[in-house]
Amino acid sequence: MKYLWKKLDVASFLTAIYTGIVCLFYFYLYITQKASLNVLFFFFVLCFFYFLFLPISKKLNQMEGFHGQVLSRNKKILTFALVSVLTFLFLMIWFIAYYPGAFSEDSINQYTQAITGNYNDWHPVWHTLLFFTLPLKLFGKPSAIILLQILYFSLLIGYMALTICELWNIKAAFFSVVYIVMNPYTCVILLFPWKDVAFGMGALLCTILSVQLALKEKVPSKNWKLLLLGVFISSTTVFRHNAILFTATLLVALFFWIDKKSWIKILLFSCVSLFIIKIPIYHILNVEKPDQRVIETTGLPLTVIGNVAKETPYLMDDKLSDFVYTMASPEQWANNYNCGNFNSIKWSGINTSIVEEEGLLGMLKLMFKCFHLSPNASLQAAFALTDIVYGFETGLKGDVQPYIADSSLYEIHYPPTHNQSLLDFIYAYTRFIDTTVFKYLRTYGITLLVMLFITLSRMHFKSWISWKKTFFVLPIFLYDFGTMLLLTGPDSRFFYVTFLVAPLIITVTMHKKEE
């Protein structure tokens, strides 16, 4: 037994366990709840994936790490410019086809704030200022909002490609750019001026700067670099109300890489920038602060309760029944609620004030009561809601399509005739990706699995450098698995950041940093 344990490949074993648990969720909920069959299924899946991962893991572990390369000034400029321009031109296909862009109800709300000057922090005002007010002040057209966002993104992808070139090689940079830019999801989501896009770009930029400080800087960094990183960390934190899950963990990871004086400066610059944004700037603009709504942090409990109310109402006790039928009638639950999507009933005129009365603790108690009274319906709802993050067959779940809400309000609308040749190309290209093996490249669960597997395969458990590299993986995992608990429906845009940071995280694990 001791001999077998020594021969065990830890990376393959742990990744197989992770994969087996995900597969077991599907098997238990949709095939059978019989315990013995579930145990046998899990054992089979564990063995199958262990031996599938084993040769790949050994090869990755034995690979010599990459030292990177030193590029001349001209090569740096050429790499950055070429990737930025090509990215911009490719994304312009979607922009021209769907001119002037895509504006959801949230986007129209932020557009209204930008032109009226009446700001409300329900949608982060810092994002509204940078991505709505600034383009409108400069160019006066709503299309400028989308065009500038695409420009920012293209420059950022160029910067990422340059960084990967320096840390790894040009081949890795090429595949990283193709993976992100040629994903149809990227092309569509960039048509929306959503905070999720801004957060994704901010998170990627903060990760790039942090990785450069950790792997490239041989002496204490200059103060202006630390200041820039601090400002970008604070801005990224403000772009999403739960972005702190990513930025705080990234700061912790950076703590183990750079000298403590530099790290304290970054932390100080971040805090000062955050204070300036949230206090003086917001005060000058008379920003209205939204009420703290419990419903925005109880997505999982509401989804679980909703499925129990629809599927097994006869199992509910008096307390749970009072809550459920105060919120909505039995007919509303039966006709409007869809498993794993509380949003399906949320906007149909139900009484959500009862959620505020219960509070966060009360909602959690009701959720645990559901798991006790109706475990199968509760598990089904929880899995249907959260598998968008870790599921392997959820590439199209929560997809987004361009549209303009309230087009008559500000006369933001699509022209009477679209460029049909571009639309035909987009439909054909998207269908090709979505119906072939390439669909897995736009699935969050596969992306997280690949990052986990490569990180574990490259681990040398007696090397402190190796442990420090794993810390760069933690921000995206903590953000994704933390955010999924707040979901009220399949909002795939919340996790777009996963696609953006994945290539850089893999680059860190493959880089050879001396002890």
Side-chain angles (χ1 to χ4, degrees), residues 365-479:
K365 288 180 178 179
L366 288 174
M367 181 183 72
F368 290 128
K369 184 187 290 287
C370 286
F371 275 103
H372 174 69
L373 297 174
S374 180
N376 190 51
S378 300
L379 284 171
Q380 189 176 26
F383 182 67
L385 176 69
T386 60
D387 74 330
I388 192 174
V389 171
Y390 50 80
F392 304 140
E393 288 286 345
T394 56
L396 306 181
K397 189 173 181 180
D399 204 6
V400 294
Q401 295 298 329
Y403 74 99
I404 296 176
D406 301 323
S407 58
S408 61
L409 187 59
Y410 296 110
E411 296 187 356
I412 305 174
H413 51 75
Y414 295 120
T417 57
H418 286 280
N419 190 318
Q420 193 58 44
S421 60
L422 287 181
L423 288 177
D424 290 342
F425 165 78
I426 290 171
Y427 294 151
Y429 177 74
T430 303
R431 180 172 176 77
F432 170 74
I433 297 295
D434 292 347
T435 56
T436 62
V437 69
F438 293 107
K439 72 177 183 178
Y440 294 108
L441 297 179
R442 51 153 294 170
T443 303
Y444 297 125
I446 296 296
T447 303
L448 291 172
L449 177 67
V450 170
M451 281 192 286
L452 177 67
F453 178 57
I454 294 177
T455 300
L456 290 174
S457 297
R458 296 288 297 169
M459 269 289 285
H460 297 280
F461 291 93
K462 294 182 179 180
S463 167
W464 175 230
I465 289 291
S466 195
W467 278 102
K468 290 198 297 182
K469 287 180 181 179
T470 63
F471 298 155
F472 276 117
V473 184
L474 297 181
I476 190 61
F477 272 82
L478 185 61
Y479 171 81

Side-chain angles (χ1 to χ4, degrees), residues 226-240:
L226 306 179
L227 174 62
L228 274 180
L229 180 55
V231 170
F232 288 133
I233 285 176
S234 61
S235 295
T236 303
T237 303
V238 175
F239 282 156
R240 274 199 66 83

Side-chain angles (χ1 to χ4, degrees), residues 79 89 98 204-205 316 379 435:
T79 301
L89 292 176
Y98 292 102
L204 176 57
L205 182 55
M316 297 191 299
L379 284 171
T435 56

Side-chain angles (χ1 to χ4, degrees), residues 124-142:
V125 171
W126 190 238
H127 171 250
T128 305
L129 290 172
L130 296 181
F131 285 80
F132 285 83
T133 305
L134 180 60
L136 289 173
K137 293 292 185 183
L138 292 175
F139 302 102
K141 295 182 178 181

Side-chain angles (χ1 to χ4, degrees), residues 150-340:
I150 292 175
L151 178 61
Y152 298 153
F153 181 84
S154 302
L155 295 173
L156 183 58
I157 293 298
Y159 188 31
M160 180 203 74
L162 175 59
T163 302
I164 294 177
C165 265
E166 292 181 309
L167 294 176
W168 198 343
N169 55 43
I170 192 168
K171 187 186 294 185
F174 171 78
F175 284 111
S176 297
V177 172
V178 168
Y179 167 72
I180 293 174
V181 177
M182 298 194 72
N183 182 342
Y185 193 88
T186 290
C187 304
V188 173
I189 199 172
L190 280 167
L191 296 174
F192 289 92
W194 282 331
K195 60 188 177 184
D196 312 278
V197 179
F199 165 69
M201 291 193 289
L204 176 57
L205 182 55
C206 291
T207 304
I208 292 172
L209 295 175
S210 298
V211 168
Q212 287 182 339
L213 287 177
L215 301 182
K216 288 180 63 181
E217 299 284 335
K218 292 183 172 55
V219 295
S221 301
K222 296 179 180 178
N223 285 332
W224 67 267
K225 291 184 179 181
L226 306 179
L227 174 62
L228 274 180
L229 180 55
V231 170
F232 288 133
I233 285 176
S234 61
S235 295
T236 303
T237 303
V238 175
F239 282 156
R240 274 199 66 83
H241 295 306
N242 62 324
I244 191 71
L245 293 172
F246 185 94
T247 53
T249 314
L250 183 62
L251 272 172
V252 172
L254 199 55
F255 174 83
F256 296 99
W257 279 98
I258 62 176
D259 64 280
K260 299 306 172 278
K261 186 176 180 181
S262 296
W263 186 84
I264 291 172
K265 287 181 180 180
I266 294 172
L267 180 62
L268 181 63
F269 290 143
S270 300
C271 293
V272 171
S273 302
L274 193 62
F275 174 82
I276 292 173
I277 293 170
K278 299 290 282 187
I279 306 299
I281 293 178
Y282 279 22
H283 178 73
I284 292 171
L285 296 172
N286 294 315
V287 173
E288 181 182 349
K289 295 182 179 180
D291 297 330
Q292 295 294 326
R293 293 176 61 188
V294 176
I295 195 171
E296 300 302 322
T297 58
T298 53
L300 181 59
L302 285 166
T303 303
V304 170
I305 293 169
N307 206 48
V308 171
K310 179 177 181 175
E311 301 295 337
T312 57
Y314 51 87
L315 294 178
M316 297 191 299
D317 62 11
D318 292 340
K319 169 68 175 174
L320 191 55
S321 295
D322 288 343
F323 174 85
V324 164
Y325 296 129
T326 300
M327 179 181 289
S329 67
E331 293 76 18
Q332 285 178 301
W333 287 114
N335 298 329
N336 295 335
Y337 178 81
N338 295 323
C339 182

Side-chain angles (χ1 to χ4, degrees), residues 93-113:
I93 297 174
W94 272 257
F95 179 68
I96 294 171
Y98 292 102
Y99 182 88
F103 294 83
S104 66
E105 290 79 5
D106 289 347
S107 303
I108 294 296
N109 182 283
Q110 289 181 275
Y111 184 87
T112 301
Q113 293 184 41

